[in-house]
């Protein structure tokens, strides 16, 4: 009895298992059938509702273009119910031509340059507005030869190059630029890879550069309508070196002189081991102005005195460096960026602080004549044989004279003035 019951249970389990397998097979069969029935329709028929020809054409500005939209007969759509848009704007029916029950064309005359570099969107629509097919129109000009190619090296460690496009073709369709370079006499050409997105038409070569070896460098431009190549420039890294701005710029007063400021700075540290003759420039402006005045003749010293300034005025000062003749290079160097502005103020004029009333004009003229007579007497006595004395020395002489009246020591003042004449670089600038 027990054996019969066990066999009955086993048969029941087998039947249930067989039933489950049959059900699973049926589900898989139905799913597979649906895949083969519906998927090809999705991936084939729906992807070919309509076709635009030609697809994504590139044309010069001013061209005429005829494009045909061919719809699938499976859709049951008549071509005369279709319409066209260009960049979302519906085109006039006068530009259409009904070619067959499944073909509608549109003709565009005297095309302007593309409104977007990614191409203008030409779309074929069904009568209910459904998008059936699309194409991109690239209308522009082939690139012209890139121009104004120039390069510079910061502290001989890298190389950056910049250029300008040769025409307006890239305004309408995307133009690709590739900077290429190679050793002048040997080696294969290489491509610059780090293009600066923040500054268009600039590329940066950070490493693996040789000095004392000429390079050939050029730019190639290309788009869907053609290509062009710039002139080749030949350069040695040492001929195009620029530095970091001079560090440690310090601007300070010159004692109590109300019209002067002293400017000092350090040489660029990255070039301390290089053989070169630096040139420096200074520029300065008053706090309320945006116009800079430049001192060109600073030479290679790292200090300078500005004179002829306004008393009681805040000035901003900047310095930049040009490394000339690194390792004997004969080329003119490249100016660095300007240093960060450094501010300082000239002392207030003692005369302006002495009272609120101006002296009478007769008193002013009398004082001026007396001081000029005294000054020219001093010039004849102390500057014999000096050919570089400027009348602007009068302002400096007056300042020293004021110092003598305060200290009651005119002998020391005369010694100071004699020393002033002996200086080889002293800058007097009009503001």
């Amino acid at each position: 009895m027990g054996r019969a019951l066990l066999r009955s249970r086993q048969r029941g389990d087998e039947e249930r298992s067989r039933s489950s397998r049959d059900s699973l097979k049926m589900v898989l069969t139905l799913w597979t059938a649906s895949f083969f029935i519906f998927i090809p329709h999705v991936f084939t028929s729906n992807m070919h509702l309509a076709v635009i020809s030609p697809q994504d054409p590139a044309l010069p500005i001013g061209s005429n273009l005829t494009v045909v939209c061919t719809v699938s007969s499976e859709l049951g759509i008549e071509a005369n119910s279709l319409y066209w848009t260009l960049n979302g704007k519906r085109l006039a029916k006068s530009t259409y031509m009904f070619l067959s029950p499944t073909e509608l064309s549109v003709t565009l005359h005297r095309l302007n340059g593309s409104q977007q570099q990614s191409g203008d969107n030409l779309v074929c629509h069904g009568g209910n507005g459904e998008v059936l097919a699309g194409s991109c129109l690239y209308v522009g000009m082939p690139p012209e030869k890139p121009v104004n190619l120039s390069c510079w090296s910061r502290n001989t460690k890298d190389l950056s190059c910049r250029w300008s496009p040769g025409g307006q073709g890239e305004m309408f369709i995307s133009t690709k630029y590739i900077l290429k370079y190679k050793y002048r006499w040997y080696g294969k050409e290489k491509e610059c890879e780090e293009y600066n997105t923040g500054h268009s038409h600039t590329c940066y070569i950070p490493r693996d550069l040789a000095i004392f070896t000429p390079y050939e460098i050029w730019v190639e431009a290309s788009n869907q309508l053609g290509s062009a190549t710039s002139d080749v420039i030949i350069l040695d890294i040492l001929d195009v070196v620029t530095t970091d701005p001079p560090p440690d710029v310090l601007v300070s007063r010159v004692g109590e002189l109300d019209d002067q400021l002293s400017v000092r700075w350090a040489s660029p540290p990255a070039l301390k081991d290089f053989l070169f003759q630096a040139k420096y420039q200074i520029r300065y402006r008053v706090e309320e102005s945006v116009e800079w005045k430049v001192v060109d003749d600073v030479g290679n010293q790292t200090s300078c005195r500005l004179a002829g300034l306004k008393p009681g005025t805040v000035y901003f000062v900047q310095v930049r460096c040009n490394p000339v003749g690194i390792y004997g290079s004969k080329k003119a160097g490249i100016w660095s960026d300007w240093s960060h502005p450094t501010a300082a103020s000239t002392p207030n004029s003692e005369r302006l602080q002495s009272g609120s009333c101006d002296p009478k004009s007769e008193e002013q003229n009398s004082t001026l004549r007396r001081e000029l007579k005294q000054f020219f007497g001093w010039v004849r006595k102390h500057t014999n044989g000096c050919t570089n004395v400027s009348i602007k020395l009068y302002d400096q002489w007056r300042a020293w004279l004021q110092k003598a009246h305060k200290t009651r020591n005119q002998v020391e003042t005369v010694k100071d003035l004699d020393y002033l004449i002996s200086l080889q670089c002293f800058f007097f600038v009009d503001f």
Side-chain angles (χ1 to χ4, degrees), residues 8 10 20 59 64 87 101 120 169 208 255 330 350 392 420:
S8 175
Q10 289 177 346
S20 298
L59 308 103
N64 298 330
N87 292 330
D120 290 338
D208 300 329
K330 303 298 184 182
E350 183 177 336
K392 294 179 182 179
L420 172 66

Side-chain angles (χ1 to χ4, degrees), residues 248-294:
D248 305 326
V249 177
L250 176 65
V251 184
S252 58
R253 294 180 178 182
V254 183
E256 298 182 6
L257 296 178
D258 58 13
D259 66 338
Q260 297 188 24
L261 288 173
S262 174
V263 186
R264 297 181 181 276
W265 59 91
S267 298
L271 294 181
K272 64 180 180 179
D273 296 327
F274 285 75
L275 298 175
F276 71 102
Q277 184 75 25
K279 293 195 303 184
Y280 296 97
Q281 274 186 346
I282 297 174
R283 71 177 185 179
Y284 63 97
R285 64 175 176 84
V286 296
E287 185 178 20
E288 299 83 5
S289 175
V290 295
E291 296 184 3
W292 296 89
K293 290 201 170 185
V294 178

Side-chain angles (χ1 to χ4, degrees), residues 47-53 55 68-72 84 124 132-134:
M47 291 187 65
H48 299 286
L49 293 175
V51 176
I52 289 181
S53 179
Q55 184 67 215
V68 178
C69 179
T70 303
V71 297
S72 172
W84 294 89
C124 175
L132 300 178

Side-chain angles (χ1 to χ4, degrees), residues 239-242 279 322-325 331-335:
D239 295 336
V240 292
V241 175
T242 186
K279 293 195 303 184
N322 186 330
V324 181
K331 299 292 182 67
I334 298 176
W335 287 105

Side-chain angles (χ1 to χ4, degrees), residues 25-40:
K25 287 181 180 179
M26 182 176 295
V27 170
L28 291 174
T29 301
L30 290 173
W31 183 85
T32 305
S34 65
F35 178 85
F36 287 107
I37 291 172
F38 295 107
I39 295 304

Side-chain angles (χ1 to χ4, degrees), residues 153-169:
S153 173
R154 188 172 295 276
N155 304 321
T156 73
K157 304 301 183 182
D158 56 19
L159 188 68
S160 296
C161 296
R162 180 182 294 124
W163 61 91
S164 302
Q168 297 183 336

Side-chain angles (χ1 to χ4, degrees), residues 162-411:
R162 180 182 294 124
W163 61 91
S164 302
Q168 297 183 336
E170 68 167 10
M171 294 175 58
F172 306 107
I173 58 177
S174 179
T175 299
K176 182 179 181 181
Y177 293 90
I178 300 177
L179 179 79
K180 295 186 176 182
Y181 61 100
K182 72 179 188 69
Y183 296 136
R184 184 177 183 184
W185 294 300
Y186 60 93
K188 64 179 183 179
E189 67 182 41
K190 299 179 181 179
E191 293 185 5
C192 179
E193 297 179 353
E194 296 191 20
Y195 293 88
N196 193 328
T197 55
H199 299 80
S200 58
H201 313 125
T202 302
C203 198
Y204 175 66
I205 305 172
R207 64 186 70 86
D208 300 329
L209 292 167
I211 59 175
F212 305 109
T213 302
Y215 280 91
E216 293 183 358
I217 304 174
W218 67 98
V219 177
E220 296 178 358
S222 61
N223 61 25
Q224 291 98 322
L225 295 173
S227 62
T229 302
S230 72
D231 292 334
V232 177
I233 64 171
I234 300 173
L235 59 84
D236 191 308
I237 301 300
L238 295 178
D239 295 336
V240 292
V241 175
T242 186
T243 71
D244 299 314
D248 305 326
V249 177
L250 176 65
V251 184
S252 58
R253 294 180 178 182
V254 183
E256 298 182 6
L257 296 178
D258 58 13
D259 66 338
Q260 297 188 24
L261 288 173
S262 174
V263 186
R264 297 181 181 276
W265 59 91
S267 298
L271 294 181
K272 64 180 180 179
D273 296 327
F274 285 75
L275 298 175
F276 71 102
Q277 184 75 25
K279 293 195 303 184
Y280 296 97
Q281 274 186 346
I282 297 174
R283 71 177 185 179
Y284 63 97
R285 64 175 176 84
V286 296
E287 185 178 20
E288 299 83 5
S289 175
V290 295
E291 296 184 3
W292 296 89
K293 290 201 170 185
V294 178
V295 181
D296 284 317
D297 54 350
V298 180
N300 66 345
Q301 61 184 353
T302 55
S303 65
C304 179
R305 188 178 295 183
L306 303 175
L309 307 178
K310 294 180 180 179
T313 303
V314 176
Y315 285 87
F316 288 98
V317 181
Q318 292 179 296
V319 185
R320 66 177 181 174
C321 176
N322 186 330
V324 181
I326 291 184
Y327 288 139
S329 169
K330 303 298 184 182
K331 299 292 182 67
I334 298 176
W335 287 105
S336 71
D337 294 331
W338 290 100
S339 64
H340 292 297
T342 303
S345 63
T346 52
N348 286 317
S349 173
E350 183 177 336
R351 290 190 175 187
L352 294 177
Q353 295 177 342
S354 62
S356 59
C357 297
D358 293 330
K360 296 180 180 180
S361 59
E362 293 83 0
E363 294 176 350
Q364 286 181 313
N365 291 336
S366 177
T367 301
L368 179 61
R369 284 195 297 271
R370 184 171 61 254
E371 288 185 350
L372 283 174
K373 183 177 180 180
Q374 187 177 0
F375 169 70
F376 284 117
W378 177 85
V379 168
R380 286 193 298 271
K381 181 177 179 180
H382 294 281
T383 63
N384 184 35
C386 182
T387 61
N388 294 324
V389 176
S390 168
I391 190 62
K392 294 179 182 179
L393 189 62
Y394 170 69
D395 293 332
Q396 187 66 25
W397 174 82
R398 278 184 55 245
W400 253 269
L401 193 62
Q402 291 174 14
K403 176 182 176 183
H405 289 322
K406 291 179 182 179
T407 61
R408 307 296 183 183
N409 190 351
Q410 295 195 27
V411 175

